[in-house]
Amino acid sequence: MSFRDDEAPPENSSAGPKQPIRKVDRVRLVAYSNDKAPLEENRQQVLLEVVDTSSADERSGLDLVAVLDVSGSMANGGKLDKLKVAMKFVISKLGPMDRLSIVTFSSNADRQCPLRIMTVFAKEELKGIVEDKLSAGGSTSMRDGLKMGVDVLAQRQYSSGRVSSVILMSDGWEFPLPRSASMDVDVGDVAVYTFGFGEDHDAEVLGAIASKSQGGTFRYVRDDESLSAHFAKILAGLLSIVVQDLKLTLWEQPGHSKIERVEAGSYPQTLVGDTCSVNVSFGDIFSDEVRKVIVHLILPAVHREYRATSVVAQCCYRTTHGKTFYSPRGHLRCFIHRTSSASQGSVNPEVKEELDRICYVSKIEEANAMNDYDSAHGKLEEAQKFLDSKQPNRMVDILKNELQQLLRLKRWKDLLASLLASKMTHDRQRGGGLFATPLMSKYTEQANVFEKDPNKLPPSVTENVEEAQFVMKKRGPERSRRTPSWWVRLMVILCTVLSISVIVAGVAVFAAYMLIKPKMPYLVVSDAQLGLLQYDSQDSTIRSLQMLITILAENINSKADASFSGIDFTLEFHGAGVALLRAEQFMVARESSLTLQFNIVSEKQTLDPAGKQSMEESLKAGVVQFDLFTKARTRWKVGVFVRHQYWTHISCGLHFFFPGNGTVMPSDRDRCRSKSP
């Protein structure tokens, strides 16, 4: 059967007045992690938040197919009437850039209308179809209905830049075909949102259909609930999509980090081995939605302190205009300071909160896997104890409320369907509770009002967008004309006085500085001697090493003493630690120096293949290079005004004539310093 009869959408496919393509990002990428990590091998977690910041006035046109169960069981409990009200709400909300097709199924599937542009006339016609042609009777051929709905979208003539989606509602089980028939339908890249209506629906099948689609969710609608409100939450998202085909790419940093695993709910991941990267595909994202991703990293052991890049991330997406964007335009780099002062096991608060949510979801999943009510209820009680052990915050409060609703359910079918819906909501980070957007709440309120009085039509999506634009324009001039209150004026005066005081103090400090002209203390390698180097090329090991290094701490100020904190000098060969030299805190008087002499004896340092090659080449050349690193906090004070504190760094190579006399190159003595005098 051919469905190439969809009506042509309007040329202007944006919700508001036609505007030039915006240069701003519609997606913001934010990272949270520890700011430091120990030098030993350790595991770290990075939380990446992908935040949709798009505006609904540039949303894409929606092609929606409603696949509706009208089998005999829909005649019970007023479900068919609720379905009609819900569909009339959907029709009322759609705008003139959107298209709707209705497919019904019972013993057979039937397309009630092709994809129609939602003009005023078409809306009235489709409401008539809903009222007159939706009648209950027959069995439940869900597979045929779903396949027809997917085919309607697959065979469209006009699809460029448009959002496509299926909402599938059923209150029963597949019959006479086997249950698996519906799950075998290939939905392609279409998002399918499934709704189980009443306790006799097949939650497992509906959940599986939604799971295999890109971004789809399963929702359980109890007999006493409003179907319109459940439709409204998803419709609010579909009518706000600007960002399409969203992907997040993560790169590990060889030598600095390795991606152990990525937690992104049920969104598909692709590992790209050649580039050491992971791609996470989110599909289309609703306005104001957030996707949270936890990246688990292994940081290798290192021999010195430094600022490392732990992970690099970037988003890629398309918009209504079909153009591809990257956000941020440059890559987002997450840095972590490798330092001996970092403790093992510390976790960033934002990361910890998301890990707690994931742990809670795992307990919901365990409950869903149980075979009886009591076992599932026991798992929920474990989840309750887990949440009770956490500090109260917005997330914990919402999860507790969600859990209480689950614990109150007394029927096994109710609980099983609710557990599956809850798990999928968390896996997709979409649909309600913790993931509800302001627009979802607004549409739900409108649906509840419409449910009570179907004659009171809700505003269409176009009217909602125009209203939002009007409010934003109105607020601008009002804000500019608003007279500041007395406390605002007082704060302005205080800030002005404070600014003047800071400027005066700065001028005074600068004048004192220029008058005294202090000079910074520094460290310099005054001499070095390689006395012994025994290297075994068979097992790539430095068997024995003896070296003498003399370091001079110079203070050339005539008016200030200098204090150096405890110093750790790291001696390395091609990245392999050879020795750690340590000096306790010391003072250097004004216009004087202090000699630090280190007699190094080191044994059995194994080199990696690159280090082995470097050592053998160095010995052949007769010049062996060792690297010296250090960092020390230096404090000094001059007069009343000038107090100075800074970090003194040394990072240099010492080149020894070896085999030979073992002396260091003369140029290294002058070059290997923290600051030139």
Side-chain angles (χ1 to χ4, degrees):
M1 185 181 296
S2 175
F3 299 115
R4 294 183 59 80
D5 54 355
D6 51 313
E7 293 183 354
E11 292 184 7
N12 181 11
S13 294
S14 63
K18 195 163 186 177
Q19 300 173 355
I21 297 176
R22 299 183 180 186
K23 301 297 183 183
V24 298
D25 290 336
R26 283 90 168 176
V27 169
R28 186 175 74 251
L29 188 57
V30 186
Y32 300 94
S33 64
N34 288 334
D35 57 359
K36 57 184 180 179
L39 301 179
E40 301 82 11
E41 179 180 298
N42 63 97
R43 284 174 165 79
Q44 296 288 326
Q45 297 83 34
V46 176
L47 168 63
L48 292 169
E49 286 188 353
V50 184
V51 185
D52 183 286
T53 59
S54 61
S55 174
D57 62 0
E58 55 172 347
R59 74 177 182 91
S60 304
L62 171 64
D63 288 345
L64 179 65
V65 180
V67 180
L68 310 173
D69 185 348
V70 290
S71 59
S73 57
M74 284 294 292
N76 302 327
K79 285 188 284 189
L80 186 64
D81 292 335
K82 287 187 176 182
L83 173 60
K84 290 181 177 181
V85 172
M87 281 307 302
K88 290 176 182 178
F89 174 79
V90 170
I91 293 169
S92 298
K93 289 301 299 181
L94 296 176
M97 61 184 289
D98 304 310
R99 301 189 296 179
L100 174 67
S101 175
I102 299 175
V103 173
T104 57
F105 65 90
S106 53
S107 299
N108 299 294
D110 185 18
R111 188 185 65 158
Q112 300 295 340
C113 64
L115 278 171
R116 298 283 306 276
I117 291 292
M118 289 293 95
T119 61
V120 174
F121 175 78
K123 284 186 175 185
E124 291 304 315
E125 189 174 337
L126 263 64
K127 287 178 182 178
I129 290 175
V130 167
E131 186 61 40
D132 300 334
K133 292 192 175 183
L134 267 60
S135 57
S139 57
T140 307
S141 185
M142 191 189 310
R143 186 201 75 93
D144 292 345
L146 177 59
K147 187 177 186 308
M148 182 174 288
V150 172
D151 287 345
V152 167
L153 292 173
Q155 297 179 25
R156 290 172 295 169
Q157 298 182 77
Y158 310 97
S159 60
S160 178
R162 299 185 64 80
V163 173
S164 59
S165 186
V166 169
I167 56 173
L168 169 63
M169 189 285 303
S170 177
D171 76 330
W173 289 46
E174 179 82 44
F175 185 81
L177 294 175
R179 293 176 63 205
S180 61
S182 300
M183 295 187 286
D184 293 338
V185 175
D186 182 7
V187 299
D189 58 358
V190 175
V192 181
Y193 299 90
T194 60
F195 299 82
F197 198 1
E199 67 173 17
D200 293 327
H201 73 277
D202 194 338
E204 183 180 351
V205 168
L206 291 173
I209 293 170
S211 293
K212 70 185 294 186
S213 74
Q214 193 170 47
T217 60
F218 162 70
R219 300 185 67 84
Y220 172 38
V221 187
R222 287 188 283 275
D223 290 314
D224 58 346
E225 288 186 319
S226 165
L227 181 60
S228 302
H230 282 270
F231 276 7
K233 286 184 172 63
I234 299 304
L235 188 65
L238 294 174
L239 291 176
S240 69
I241 292 176
V242 175
V243 174
Q244 302 178 40
D245 195 21
L246 174 65
K247 293 182 176 66
L248 172 66
T249 303
L250 308 165
W251 289 271
E252 64 183 34
Q253 300 299 290
H256 303 285
S257 68
K258 180 176 179 58
I259 296 178
E260 185 177 22
R261 70 182 191 279
V262 176
E263 292 188 271
S266 58
Y267 289 103
Q269 302 178 25
T270 305
L271 178 63
V272 185
D274 294 341
T275 58
C276 301
S277 65
V278 177
N279 292 332
V280 183
S281 299
F282 295 110
D284 300 343
I285 186 170
F286 299 167
S287 179
D288 292 325
E289 276 193 323
V290 179
R291 296 288 178 268
K292 295 187 177 184
V293 176
I294 293 284
V295 186
H296 294 266
L297 300 171
I298 299 177
L299 305 188
V302 295
H303 305 289
R304 61 184 177 90
E305 297 186 349
Y306 73 107
R307 186 171 181 244
T309 301
S310 59
V311 69
V312 176
Q314 189 179 49
C315 290
C316 172
Y317 60 91
R318 292 183 294 105
T319 65
T320 308
H321 310 281
K323 186 175 180 180
T324 299
F325 291 86
Y326 295 89
S327 180
R329 291 178 177 85
H331 297 84
L332 174 68
R333 294 184 177 274
C334 305
F335 294 100
I336 193 163
H337 184 207
R338 303 299 301 274
T339 173
S340 58
S341 64
S343 58
Q344 289 273 13
S346 62
V347 182
N348 173 276
E350 285 81 6
V351 175
K352 180 67 168 61
E353 183 174 294
E354 178 61 9
L355 290 174
D356 286 343
R357 185 189 70 83
I358 292 172
C359 184
Y360 165 81
V361 175
S362 70
K363 297 182 183 300
I364 296 297
E365 187 173 5
E366 289 174 4
N368 187 57
M370 295 295 104
N371 295 319
D372 60 87
Y373 178 88
D374 291 337
S375 299
H377 205 271
K379 291 295 181 181
L380 293 181
E381 289 174 351
E382 291 180 15
Q384 187 175 38
K385 291 178 182 178
F386 172 76
L387 292 179
D388 288 341
S389 68
K390 301 301 173 183
Q391 290 292 332
N393 57 39
R394 176 181 175 274
M395 184 198 76
V396 171
D397 291 342
I398 291 175
L399 294 183
K400 282 184 175 180
N401 181 63
E402 174 186 301
L403 184 59
Q404 287 304 314
Q405 293 181 36
L406 293 172
L407 287 168
R408 282 196 289 266
L409 298 176
K410 301 302 181 184
R411 296 182 180 180
W412 174 229
K413 286 184 178 180
D414 274 352
L415 180 57
L416 200 59
S418 298
L419 287 170
L420 180 59
S422 176
K423 176 185 176 300
M424 185 163 289
T425 295
H426 281 276
D427 283 347
R428 299 295 199 193
Q429 300 182 45
R430 166 172 287 174
L434 197 62
F435 313 106
T437 66
L439 202 57
M440 289 180 185
S441 301
K442 185 174 184 177
Y443 273 45
T444 302
E445 291 176 7
Q446 294 174 356
N448 290 331
V449 171
F450 185 76
E451 186 94 9
K452 294 176 182 177
D453 184 5
N455 293 318
K456 189 175 182 180
L457 296 180
S460 69
V461 60
T462 306
E463 292 169 330
N464 286 147
V465 171
E466 290 174 349
E467 179 186 3
Q469 290 175 333
F470 175 76
V471 170
M472 291 302 295
K473 289 179 181 178
K474 187 177 179 182
R475 283 179 179 174
E478 286 180 353
R479 286 176 180 166
S480 63
R481 292 194 298 266
R482 192 176 298 161
T483 303
S485 59
W486 66 269
W487 65 269
V488 173
R489 292 195 293 270
L490 178 61
M491 290 300 296
V492 170
I493 294 171
L494 290 175
C495 289
T496 303
V497 172
L498 181 61
S499 299
I500 294 173
S501 302
V502 170
I503 292 172
V504 171
V507 171
V509 170
F510 180 73
Y513 188 91
M514 294 303 296
L515 180 65
I516 299 171
K517 293 183 178 179
K519 297 180 180 179
M520 294 183 182
Y522 62 93
L523 299 171
V524 61
V525 177
S526 62
D527 195 16
Q529 179 79 34
L530 179 58
L532 175 66
L533 173 59
Q534 293 180 348
Y535 173 70
D536 188 342
S537 61
Q538 296 297 321
D539 56 2
S540 308
T541 301
I542 299 175
R543 292 292 183 185
S544 182
L545 172 74
Q546 294 180 12
M547 185 184 298
L548 181 67
I549 297 180
T550 303
I551 295 176
L552 206 62
E554 286 275 7
N555 180 13
I556 56 178
N557 280 293
S558 61
K559 299 181 175 64
D561 297 337
S563 169
F564 290 81
S565 66
I567 308 176
D568 287 342
F569 297 88
T570 303
L571 186 68
E572 297 182 359
F573 179 82
H574 208 275
V578 175
L580 178 65
L581 321 177
R582 179 162 292 172
E584 300 299 329
Q585 182 174 342
F586 58 89
M587 294 283 297
V588 181
R590 64 194 69 182
E591 292 187 319
S592 63
S593 61
L594 181 68
T595 300
L596 305 174
Q597 197 167 65
F598 299 95
N599 191 6
I600 302 166
V601 177
S602 179
E603 295 180 347
K604 294 184 179 179
Q605 299 296 327
T606 302
L607 305 180
D608 60 19
K612 174 185 178 182
Q613 181 180 353
S614 178
M615 176 62 79
E616 291 174 354
E617 291 176 353
S618 298
L619 292 174
K620 287 180 182 179
V623 177
V624 181
Q625 176 183 334
F626 288 85
D627 298 311
L628 185 66
F629 304 97
T630 189
K631 181 174 72 172
R633 188 183 295 277
T634 308
R635 300 180 179 88
W636 45 287
K637 173 183 174 184
V638 180
V640 178
F641 296 101
V642 181
R643 298 171 184 266
H644 201 60
Q645 172 175 302
Y646 68 100
W647 285 100
T648 299
H649 296 264
I650 285 182
S651 178
C652 65
L654 297 174
H655 301 79
F656 297 93
F657 295 108
F658 197 93
N661 57 14
T663 58
V664 71
M665 284 188 176
S667 60
D668 288 345
R669 296 191 184 98
D670 182 60
R671 182 178 55 82
C672 200
R673 63 174 64 236
S674 62
K675 184 181 182 299
S676 299

